[in-house]
């Protein structure tokens, strides 16, 4: 059983469209991180959320942490080809220090 | 500030041969992780170090994998002997402390033939 479930697994959209990807779990996390990974590179940290209900914005990306700290979402407005990549969520469970990753959402933005 | 440095970037070996990967974490980062990533999948933790101590190695296949972090800085991950199924990207990451944000190296892509 995967601790963090990401959906959708694959997403292909046209440039300019909006999208949301999800990261869900039945466990509570003390913090949750979102990464973007391009082919041949390591994951690059985008944001960390730590407070239930927290919303963070990074240009056209909006990240939300669920009130119960069990889930998170990433919304991209007006997607661009440069947003293409593998989006990974990773969480540190409450009471633990282990950083566990979901399987990722592979996003393709078509010009 | 230099990021996490891994070497080599690519390695091709024959099965049953040994292989080693090296990682230099960000200066001052006490926590070091080794992850394995298969194509199109998320990273899976192999081992986590706090300084020189391995505090979580439950996912490390100890019959063939070993790791060390002498002096609590650089780390090496070794596979001996390698199997075809070990082909993957091996990622190293570091963070200031337990539970903090992790920063990744570019990874070592291993191909076992």
């Amino acid at each position: 059983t995967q601790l963090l479930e990401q959906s959708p697994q694959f997403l292909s959209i046209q440039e300019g469209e909006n999208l949301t990807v999800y990261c869900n779990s039945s466990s509570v996390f003390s913090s949750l991180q979102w990464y973007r990974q391009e082919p041949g590179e390591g994951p690059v940290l985008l944001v960390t959320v730590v407070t239930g209900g927290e919303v963070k914005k990074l240009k056209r990306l909006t990240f939300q942490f669920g009130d119960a700290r069990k889930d998170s979402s990433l919304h991209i407005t007006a997607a661009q080809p440069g947003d293409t990549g593998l989006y990974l969520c990773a969480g540190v469970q409450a009471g633990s220090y282990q950083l566990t990753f979901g399987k990722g959402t592979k996003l393709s933005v078509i010009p | 500030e230099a990021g996490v440095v891994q070497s080599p970037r690519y390695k091709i070996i024959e099965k049953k041969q040994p292989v080693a990967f090296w990682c230099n974490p960000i200066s001052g980062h006490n926590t070091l992780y080794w992850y394995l990533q298969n194509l199109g999948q998320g990273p899976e933790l192999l081992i986590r170090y706090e300084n020189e101590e391995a505090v979580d190695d439950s996912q490390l296949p100890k019959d063939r994998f070993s790791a060390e972090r002498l002096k609590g800085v650089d780390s090496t991950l070794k596979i001996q002997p390698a199997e075809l199924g070990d082909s993957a990207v091996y990622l190293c990451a570091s963070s200031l402390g337990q539970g903090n944000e992790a920063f990744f190296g570019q990874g070592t892509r291993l191909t076992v033939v």
Side-chain angles (χ1 to χ4, degrees), chain B residues 5-19:
Chain B
V5 179
Q6 290 188 246
S7 67
R9 284 295 311 275
Y10 306 93
K11 189 73 176 180
I12 300 174
I13 62 170
E14 294 183 342
K15 62 182 180 182
K16 300 185 182 180
Q17 294 301 305
V19 65

Side-chain angles (χ1 to χ4, degrees), chain B:
Chain B
E1 179 183 296
V4 177
V5 179
Q6 290 188 246
S7 67
R9 284 295 311 275
Y10 306 93
K11 189 73 176 180
I12 300 174
I13 62 170
E14 294 183 342
K15 62 182 180 182
K16 300 185 182 180
Q17 294 301 305
V19 65
F21 315 124
W22 176 80
C23 174
N24 179 235
I26 293 172
S27 178
H29 280 196
N30 297 322
T31 305
L32 184 146
Y33 308 82
W34 282 103
Y35 284 89
L36 176 154
Q37 186 176 28
N38 289 304
L39 188 63
Q41 302 290 314
E44 300 170 31
L45 182 69
L46 290 172
I47 190 168
R48 174 168 63 93
Y49 281 93
E50 294 301 328
N51 298 302
E52 66 276 8
E53 182 182 359
V55 296
D56 186 353
D57 63 355
S58 58
Q59 303 301 314
L60 190 72
K62 298 182 182 65
D63 56 336
R64 297 183 300 108
F65 286 65
S66 65
E68 62 181 10
R69 192 185 184 196
L70 299 176
K71 301 181 181 179
V73 181
D74 294 0
S75 178
T76 56
L77 178 68
K78 298 178 182 178
I79 308 175
Q80 181 171 11
E83 297 179 352
L84 295 176
D86 296 332
S87 296
V89 175
Y90 291 82
L91 293 164
C92 179
S94 70
S95 65
L96 274 173
Q98 301 182 101
N100 288 85
E101 299 162 336
F103 297 87
F104 283 81
Q106 291 181 300
T108 296
R109 179 176 294 278
L110 174 67
T111 302
V112 182
V113 297

